[in-house]
Amino acid sequence: MFRTIADPADCEVRSVIRFLNAKNVKPAEIHRQLVEIYGENAMTDGMVRKWVRQFNDGRTNVHGEARSGRLSVVNDGLVAKVNEKIRENRQFTIRMLFDEFPQISKTVLHEIVKNRLNYRKLCSRWVPKMLTDVHKTKCFEISYPMQ
């Protein structure tokens, strides 16, 4: 039996489709072989047929086109400003940040705080997720003062 390949790159799967299509293998057989090697979640039969059509129409590029989308409002300057506001008052809420930055949605502010700055809520205070050795030492000194 064959060994399955987990998490293939999209362009890898498309390259296999292009190769097998050049050998005049039918789309249903291409899909069957993809599932055999890459597993059930590799690509649907309909997507295989779509890519075969595109390759038959003359497409040679196996990479997907760049997609246009909404530009992100999150930049390093904004992240720094949000971090500055957080350091002024560690007991802030996302709503309080929203009052300071009304042009940015609460969802984006929450994403900045959680994912970009790596803060989490702890006893109604926002603290860094990863404590440094200095933080750990301070916490220990506060908890167990020297007599």
Side-chain angles (χ1 to χ4, degrees), residues 5-131:
I5 300 172
D7 298 325
D10 291 340
C11 61
E12 176 184 349
V13 175
R14 293 178 198 141
S15 296
V16 171
I17 293 170
R18 183 174 178 216
F19 173 77
L20 292 174
N21 184 51
K23 291 182 75 173
N24 292 323
V25 177
K26 299 206 178 300
E29 178 61 19
I30 294 173
H31 180 258
R32 189 194 65 72
Q33 289 184 31
L34 288 175
V35 168
E36 187 176 338
I37 297 298
Y38 295 114
E40 289 293 325
N41 297 326
M43 188 178 282
T44 64
D45 184 53
M47 287 302 292
V48 170
R49 292 176 189 282
K50 174 188 167 198
W51 279 102
V52 166
R53 268 193 314 273
Q54 288 184 13
F55 292 133
N56 287 338
D57 291 341
R59 181 178 179 141
T60 58
N61 185 2
V62 294
H63 300 285
E65 287 92 23
R67 297 180 181 184
S68 63
R70 178 183 256 176
L71 295 175
S72 175
V73 296
V74 179
N75 57 38
D76 292 336
L78 177 63
V79 172
K81 288 178 187 175
V82 170
N83 195 26
E84 185 179 313
K85 285 293 178 188
I86 292 171
R87 291 183 181 276
E88 287 176 12
N89 177 13
R90 288 290 176 109
Q91 294 180 332
F92 74 94
T93 61
I94 298 295
R95 176 71 187 161
M96 291 167 65
L97 276 179
F98 180 69
D99 292 341
E100 295 287 331
F101 302 97
Q103 72 277 14
I104 300 166
S105 73
K106 291 179 202 163
T107 305
V108 172
L109 286 170
H110 191 266
E111 185 264 326
I112 290 171
V113 170
K114 291 279 286 189
N115 299 336
R116 294 288 293 268
L117 295 174
N118 291 321
Y119 283 104
R120 64 183 173 93
K121 202 73 156 168
L122 180 67
C123 298
S124 76
R125 288 189 70 182
W126 288 90
V127 296
K129 268 188 186 176
M130 300 300 293
L131 294 177

